[in-house]
């Protein structure tokens, strides 16, 4: 993950639009389905209306913003509500590379079963803040490959914990996650400014991490348990 600034994002977005805008950024490419699994976005959101803060402080969503986002605790999960910056890090692909993404890095914190970096273009994954005095994700039972329900409007997308980012910034997910949620997935101009809920299920791990079908099946089961236990 790279550290964004709002000014840089605006400048880079203009440059990309003038030179090599991503085809996937077109509205016509946005998926039409309402989400994955059998648990609705409304049902999941009904369980995260209040926050029992477990982080020792709050996070920013970008370098220039104030720290206003806490990590909240629930039975079997943690959650936060933030924006969604589009992460293209990992394998070099048509949509994710040094040309399309000014912050591109060719690696991710967690790797596929074959040892390669994850593919942000193909795999829905979420970025968690690197461990710090604010919050230590691993101590909270969050692992690489852990299951995440990402909720935006009426859509639920199951993803995995795939990368780590700056220790004071929160709210980022892969190109594939943004696209599946109906957002513009362009890493410079896309994502969502707010309204995204991330529910991370504790002590879970998708194996192999790159199998999205496994993440969906396990996520649906965990979502049902989350509703029953909260």
């Amino acid at each position: 993950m790279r550290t964004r600034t709002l000014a840089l994002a605006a400048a880079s977005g203009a440059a990309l639009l003038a030179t090599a805008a991503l085809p996937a950024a077109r509205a016509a490419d946005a998926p039409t389905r309402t989400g994955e699994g059998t648990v609705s976005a409304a049902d999941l959101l009904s369980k995260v209306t209040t926050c029992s803060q477990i982080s020792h402080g709050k996070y920013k969503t970008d370098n220039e913003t104030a720290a206003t986002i806490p990590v909240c605790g629930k039975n079997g999960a943690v959650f936060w509500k933030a924006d969604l910056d589009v992460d293209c890090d990992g394998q070099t692909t048509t949509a994710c590379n040094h040309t399309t993404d000014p912050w591109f890095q060719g690696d991710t914190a967690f790797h596929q079963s074959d040892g390669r970096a994850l593919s942000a273009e193909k795999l829905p994954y979420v970025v968690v803040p690197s461990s710090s005095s604010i919050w230590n994700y691993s101590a909270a039972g969050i692992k690489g490959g852990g299951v995440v329900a990402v909720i935006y409007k009426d859509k639920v997308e199951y993803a995995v914990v795939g990368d780590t980012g700056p220790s004071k910034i929160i709210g980022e997910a892969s190109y594939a996650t943004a696209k599946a949620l109906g957002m513009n997935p362009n890493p410079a101009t896309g994502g969502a400014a707010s309204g995204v809920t991330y529910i991370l299920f504790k002590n879970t791990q998708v194996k192999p991490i790159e199998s999205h079908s496994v993440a969906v099946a396990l996520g649906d089961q965990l979502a049902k348990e989350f509703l029953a236990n909260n």
Side-chain angles (χ1 to χ4, degrees), residues 72-223:
C72 311
K74 298 293 286 188
N75 288 331
V78 304
F79 75 92
W80 56 81
K81 299 181 180 184
D83 64 344
L84 192 152
D85 290 331
V86 178
D87 187 1
C88 245
D89 293 345
Q91 295 180 29
T92 298
T93 64
T94 301
C96 293
N97 55 65
H98 288 288
T99 300
T100 61
D101 181 4
W103 306 276
F104 180 77
Q105 296 179 18
D107 200 7
T108 49
F110 307 106
H111 295 157
Q112 294 183 164
S113 55
D114 62 3
R116 300 173 66 199
L118 304 180
S119 171
E121 180 179 357
K122 297 178 181 178
L123 182 68
Y125 72 71
V126 165
V127 180
V128 296
S130 295
S131 295
S132 70
S133 59
I134 300 176
W135 182 59
N136 183 326
Y137 68 88
S138 60
I142 305 305
K143 305 176 181 179
V147 181
V148 187
V150 188
I151 306 158
Y152 180 64
K153 297 182 178 178
D154 64 343
K155 295 184 178 179
V156 179
E157 179 68 14
Y158 290 107
V160 294
V161 175
D163 204 0
T164 58
S167 60
K168 296 182 179 180
I169 295 177
I170 207 165
E172 187 171 8
S174 68
Y175 179 106
T177 309
K179 185 175 181 180
L181 289 169
M183 301 175 189
N184 174 355
N186 187 304
T189 62
S194 62
V196 183
T197 299
Y198 303 79
I199 301 175
L200 292 75
F201 299 106
K202 295 180 181 180
N203 301 312
T204 62
Q205 199 164 40
V206 172
K207 295 183 180 180
I209 190 174
E210 66 270 22
S211 176
H212 183 56
S213 61
V214 173
V216 174
L218 182 55
D220 194 47
Q221 173 188 333
L222 292 165

Side-chain angles (χ1 to χ4, degrees), residues 52-78:
S52 176
Q53 183 172 330
I54 61 171
S55 56
H56 303 290
K58 297 180 179 180
Y59 288 95
K60 300 180 178 182
T61 56
D62 294 285
N63 276 335
E64 290 89 348
T65 60
T68 60
I69 310 298
V71 176
C72 311
K74 298 293 286 188
N75 288 331
V78 304

